[in-house]
Amino acid sequence: MSNVPNDLKYAKSHEWVRDEEDGTVFVGITEHAQEMLGDLVFVELPELGATLEAGSECAVVESVKAASDVYSPVSGEVIAINEALADAPETVNQDAFGDGWLFQVKLSAPAELDELLDAEAYTEVMEAEAH
């Protein structure tokens, strides 16, 4: 079973959110998602300054198996992207919850964080998909 840190929030579409408690969040894909995709070979990130809506497609991760859309779990403005992933997309495989973050968002609707899953609920989603 994949690692599911208790201090993060999750979307059913396998993105994680780390609340920085300053009105911004970091977003990435979960360890479970990167394990399903396999070795990542390319990551397309949203543009700096882009305005995202919760649930909208905003990035693409491509592996040796397939390409997969990444959905923004929250609404807001992209204020940082992980530029290191352009040269080292495998970082997501190696450290999905740390150096493998994808982008940072300045929240426009902080209450959306309350709608995301906690670690226990996300684990149930993964278990349901396994059956």
Side-chain angles (χ1 to χ4, degrees):
M1 183 61 65
S2 299
N3 179 29
V4 182
N6 286 324
D7 60 335
L8 302 176
K9 297 278 194 167
Y10 302 90
K12 288 181 181 176
S13 50
H14 306 292
E15 291 83 13
W16 59 260
V17 173
R18 185 176 64 226
D19 185 359
E20 295 298 298
E21 300 183 358
D22 64 355
T24 70
V25 296
F26 282 91
V27 177
I29 63 170
T30 65
E31 189 173 289
H32 175 69
Q34 66 83 20
E35 286 173 353
M36 289 189 305
L37 286 165
D39 294 337
L40 295 185
V41 294
F42 180 74
V43 177
E44 180 183 320
L45 298 173
E47 291 186 23
L48 274 175
T51 301
L52 305 177
E53 294 293 324
S56 64
E57 296 173 12
C58 63
V60 176
V61 288
E62 186 175 329
S63 72
V64 294
K65 293 180 182 175
S68 181
D69 292 325
V70 176
Y71 300 91
S72 181
V74 293
S75 299
E77 178 186 352
V78 177
I79 59 170
I81 58 173
N82 191 348
E83 295 179 14
L85 298 179
D87 294 328
E90 68 276 10
T91 304
V92 177
N93 296 113
Q94 297 161 353
D95 191 11
F97 297 117
D99 291 341
W101 64 277
L102 300 181
F103 54 91
Q104 185 178 14
V105 174
K106 181 178 180 183
L107 298 169
S108 62
E112 289 175 346
L113 293 176
D114 297 333
E115 299 170 15
L116 297 173
L117 305 173
D118 62 17
E120 183 178 337
Y122 180 67
T123 299
E124 290 174 8
V125 168
M126 288 189 310
E127 290 173 352
E129 286 183 355
H131 297 285

